[in-house]
Amino acid sequence: MLRGDNSERYAWVVGAGLPSLAATVFMIRDAKMKGENIQIFEDSGPGKNTLDTFSTKLPNEPSPVFLNLLTDIPFLNSQDISIRKQLEDFPEQTKLKDIILSIRYWLQKEGVIFSSGYIGNEYKS
């Protein structure tokens, strides 16, 4: 964990999968980094949809670290319920895709920059 004043630190995260999103949440929440100092590079080349790559099945018993991650993030832009509460109250109805969307939305509100493109002759941002 980074210590001291992390407001002037920068991070570049490769990939927008759940591990990368989780790491970014922890950098903002626990390491107190500024969201605008974090950039996530995701591969969304021609014909790709990042959300389509995620499994729709959640683990039967999510780990304590995973649940901790979801505690303070609103579920689908709701100010009344966290992702964790949604998952605990409605486990069968809570889809991984909705969790990912909720985390991404929260990160964007925190100022995180998402850059999509692909390696090749062109780069689109």
Side-chain angles (χ1 to χ4, degrees):
M1 180 66 59
L2 300 172
R3 303 215 187 279
D5 181 17
N6 294 322
S7 64
E8 296 306 315
R9 293 188 190 257
Y10 293 84
W12 295 268
V13 180
V14 178
L18 189 54
S20 297
L21 297 178
T24 306
V25 169
F26 288 127
M27 282 188 268
I28 293 170
R29 193 185 70 186
D30 297 347
K32 306 295 186 225
M33 288 184 66
K34 291 181 182 176
E36 61 263 21
N37 291 355
I38 303 170
Q39 185 167 2
I40 297 175
F41 295 95
E42 58 184 327
D43 180 14
S44 59
K48 289 182 104 176
N49 180 343
T50 304
L51 289 175
D52 288 340
T53 63
F54 294 111
S55 163
T56 56
K57 185 159 173 62
L58 289 164
N60 289 335
E61 293 184 33
S63 73
V65 173
F66 184 65
L67 291 175
N68 178 279
L69 167 77
L70 306 177
T71 299
D72 300 321
I73 300 175
F75 182 71
L76 294 178
N77 197 22
S78 166
Q79 297 305 314
D80 301 328
I81 187 167
S82 70
I83 299 172
R84 180 178 183 163
K85 181 81 170 131
Q86 171 72 21
L87 187 58
E88 289 172 344
D89 292 351
F90 306 101
E92 297 299 320
Q93 293 87 3
T94 306
K95 305 287 186 236
L96 185 58
K97 191 180 248 188
D98 293 336
I99 291 173
I100 300 293
L101 283 171
S102 299
I103 295 170
R104 287 178 63 102
Y105 180 76
W106 184 83
L107 290 173
Q108 288 172 331
K109 282 181 59 177
E110 290 293 316
V112 173
I113 301 164
F114 284 84
S115 295
S116 59
Y118 63 98
I119 298 172
N121 292 333
E122 298 180 42
Y123 182 79
K124 297 178 183 177
S125 58

